[in-house]
Amino acid sequence: MESARLQIARVFGIPVYLHASWLIIFGLITWSLASHYFPARYPDLPLASYWARGLVTSVLFFVSIFLHEMGHALVARRYGVKIRSITLFIFGGVAHMEGEPPDGRTEVRIAAVGPVVSMALAGFFYLLSTAPVLGPASRAVYGYLALINLVLALFNLVPAFPLDGGRVLRGLLWSRAGRLRATRIAARAGRTFALLLIGLGVFGFLTGDAVSGIWFALIGWFLREAAAGAYHQARLDETLAGMTAADMMLTEVATLPAHISVAEAAQQHFLRTGHGGYPVVRGDEVVGVLSLRDVLRLGLEEREATSVQGAMKPLSEAVVVRPQTPLREALARMAAGPGRALVLDDGRLVGFLTLSSVLRHLRVREALGD
Ligand SMILES: [Zn+2]
């Protein structure tokens, strides 16, 4: 999903992407307006006029969705939640938040503003559609936009996570039920609604309305995936919330002596154990980290000539955490860097944290139902 998108703008410092699926919907809307909607209402206009109106309507629809997402982004920013990017895709958009809202009230505000913006747009376009100074065909454009913004607002208000309405529901339940239970309830509502849509889609398909049938089923399928993903994410966050680096670090750590050559380290250590990285020690003192990537940067001859000390990341560049560092913070720093962290207590090496060890650990916990 991340790759099939195109950056089209940067607004308030937030990159705005267009998902590839938008090109399809853009074409579909323009086509159905130009060849069905407008000709059915205004049969006597020239063909080019239908297509021009179809195109203008599509662009304005696109702008409407963009404004809806900007609403989320700006309110989120006001409450200190960073927005990484906005992606506009097939039936709406997503404002990707960097973190989670800090509390339920904030979540309600961030989620509710989107449908509010869509409602306001619906009202605005409705007023335009009744303006007597405009010709009937222009009024039809605005009438269509009023309708589609209303549909957008209502669809997003369905209390099915991760739709806006589901987020509002989660925000309202948050203070009473806790974030995880609130997410579970909202995600379950999302799944139910998704299954309903899929059912409706199949029914439509079987009774001869194939296009809207497929349409409903697709949206339902997408929602179901999104609800499940959001719930897993929430559960993972919850699991990680109370944990520290000490809970998941490897305590029996294999180390590399600083003075041996990189070639020897590769032969005698990396190849033997399959580890992707080692803390490097000189005597009792830990001085850095050597990862497989550091080894691969060197040619075969350079590996003979370079010591581990010369090739490693020194302590100043390595990710160093303390045993009591929150696991989430440690993981965030590891993810931005080489994927492993030294756990030091008063300068003494007490453990090694790697992404794969954390994942393994989480899987065992999940299997044991903890
Ligand atoms: Zn929204």
Side-chain angles (χ1 to χ4, degrees), residues 68-69 72 93 111 114-115 156 164:
H68 174 119
E69 295 307 321
H72 289 308
N156 272 294
D164 295 337

Side-chain angles (χ1 to χ4, degrees), residues 256 260-273 278 295 300 303-304:
L256 281 180
I260 64 171
S261 72
V262 174
E264 187 181 345
Q267 285 299 326
Q268 302 298 322
H269 298 271
F270 281 93
L271 272 175
R272 282 228 177 119
T273 61
Y278 290 88
V295 175
L300 281 181
R303 287 180 204 169
E304 295 284 354

Side-chain angles (χ1 to χ4, degrees), residues 86-344:
I86 289 177
T87 305
L88 302 169
F89 65 104
I90 198 152
F91 56 94
V94 179
H96 301 279
M97 288 189 253
E98 192 134 312
E100 288 277 341
D103 55 67
R105 283 246 299 267
T106 310
E107 165 123 77
V108 171
R109 287 189 181 115
I110 297 174
V113 70
V116 169
V117 169
S118 294
M119 276 303 194
L121 286 168
F124 172 70
F125 285 124
Y126 176 74
L127 285 180
L128 280 181
S129 77
T130 58
V133 287
L134 298 173
S138 298
R139 297 217 301 262
V141 167
Y142 297 123
Y144 180 85
L145 285 166
L147 182 71
I148 205 160
N149 271 295
L150 183 68
V151 168
L152 203 64
L154 293 180
F155 178 75
N156 272 294
L157 276 174
V158 173
F161 198 82
L163 295 179
D164 295 337
R167 291 182 185 276
V168 170
L169 176 65
R170 178 171 87 155
L172 292 175
L173 295 171
W174 189 325
S175 59
R176 254 154 294 163
R179 197 173 74 95
L180 184 63
R181 266 194 64 207
T183 307
R184 187 182 305 154
I185 296 167
R188 204 173 286 154
R191 216 175 70 117
T192 309
F193 181 61
L195 293 178
L196 200 74
L197 280 180
I198 295 174
L200 267 176
V202 171
F203 180 76
F205 190 82
L206 293 178
T207 54
D209 192 358
V211 173
S212 38
I214 291 173
W215 196 234
F216 274 109
L218 260 182
I219 295 177
W221 176 78
F222 174 86
L223 255 183
R224 210 181 76 107
E225 296 291 303
Y231 176 60
H232 279 298
Q233 180 66 46
R235 209 168 53 169
L236 182 64
D237 282 353
E238 208 77 5
T239 310
L240 296 181
M243 291 194 176
T244 61
D247 289 325
M248 292 223 167
M249 67 188 186
L250 299 165
T251 49
E252 283 161 36
V253 189
T255 58
L256 281 180
H259 65 271
I260 64 171
S261 72
V262 174
E264 187 181 345
Q267 285 299 326
Q268 302 298 322
H269 298 271
F270 281 93
L271 272 175
R272 282 228 177 119
T273 61
H275 293 330
Y278 290 88
V280 178
V281 292
R282 200 167 46 206
D284 285 342
E285 191 195 356
V286 56
V287 290
V289 180
L290 185 76
S291 69
L292 187 57
R293 225 188 296 170
D294 302 323
V295 175
L296 294 176
R297 243 197 303 273
L298 301 175
L300 281 181
E301 274 144 50
E302 283 174 292
R303 287 180 204 169
E304 295 284 354
T306 312
S307 69
V308 164
Q309 171 124 27
M312 71 180 188
K313 290 241 174 341
L315 272 193
S316 58
E317 289 171 35
V319 179
V320 178
V321 299
R322 293 181 309 152
Q324 58 271 34
T325 301
L327 188 61
R328 252 198 302 210
E329 184 192 320
L331 284 174
R333 288 174 53 196
M334 286 158 66
R340 34 188 81 75
L342 293 165
V343 187
L344 300 189

